Amino acid sequence: MKKVAFICVHNSCRSQIAEALGKLLAPDVFESYSAGTETKPRINQDAVRLMKQEYGVDMEASQYSKLLSEIPRVDVVITMGCNVQCPFLPCSHREDWGLEDPTGKSDEAFLDVIREIERKVLVLKDKLSGQNS
């Protein structure tokens, strides 16, 4: 089974959402991890609240902000759109999803990003499902 890392600088919002949605929507196709080059003391609380509200997923129950060195070697790296130098991890496939950071914005802005991550996770699931033989 492929291992996918969702990477951002702080590993507190978009990458955490992607990890949670990967675990929810594609556990049969790939293992989901998230990490960053820096960490925050906790996952973005708006992301936690909205993921619980929209999907019934409590990210704080199974996830925490972690560094790149804390995750296993992965096959696929997805960067969230860092707006700075994105972290580098060796992999066989890399994509940048170019997502705006919704931190400090309205719930609607957060939900737009969450829905876009969901869409992209499902596309990635389709893309990788043929490679998991």
Side-chain angles (χ1 to χ4, degrees):
M1 182 174 300
K2 300 274 188 204
K3 289 180 172 64
V4 176
F6 299 100
I7 305 299
C8 218
V9 174
H10 295 114
N11 188 224
S12 65
C13 189
R14 294 164 292 171
S15 54
Q16 292 283 352
I17 293 167
E19 178 183 354
L21 288 175
K23 288 176 176 176
L24 180 69
L25 302 172
D28 54 328
V29 177
F30 59 84
E31 294 176 27
S32 297
Y33 301 91
S34 68
T37 52
E38 302 170 25
T39 60
K40 293 279 189 181
R42 55 199 283 200
I43 300 172
N44 181 295
Q45 293 300 288
D46 289 322
V48 169
R49 176 176 53 82
L50 290 168
M51 285 295 291
K52 205 177 286 184
Q53 172 187 302
E54 297 295 310
Y55 298 91
V57 172
D58 181 358
M59 293 193 300
E60 290 182 310
S62 62
Q63 294 174 219
Y64 60 95
S65 186
K66 55 204 154 309
L67 297 171
L68 297 175
S69 60
E70 296 177 65
I71 63 172
R73 168 170 258 146
V74 296
D75 304 293
V76 177
V77 170
I78 307 293
T79 52
M80 297 289 106
C82 303
N83 298 331
V84 293
Q85 182 60 44
C86 282
F88 178 77
L89 272 180
C91 60
S92 59
H93 179 76
R94 171 181 294 273
E95 293 179 20
D96 182 72
W97 286 358
L99 300 165
E100 289 253 352
D101 185 356
T103 300
K105 297 183 179 166
S106 69
D107 281 4
E108 196 51 49
F110 257 94
L111 290 169
D112 287 346
V113 169
I114 290 169
R115 287 184 199 109
E116 182 63 9
I117 291 171
E118 178 182 3
R119 188 187 71 73
K120 288 177 175 291
V121 163
L122 291 172
V123 168
L124 182 64
K125 177 183 179 178
D126 287 346
K127 190 183 296 184
L128 295 180
S129 62
Q131 299 176 17
N132 277 342
S133 310

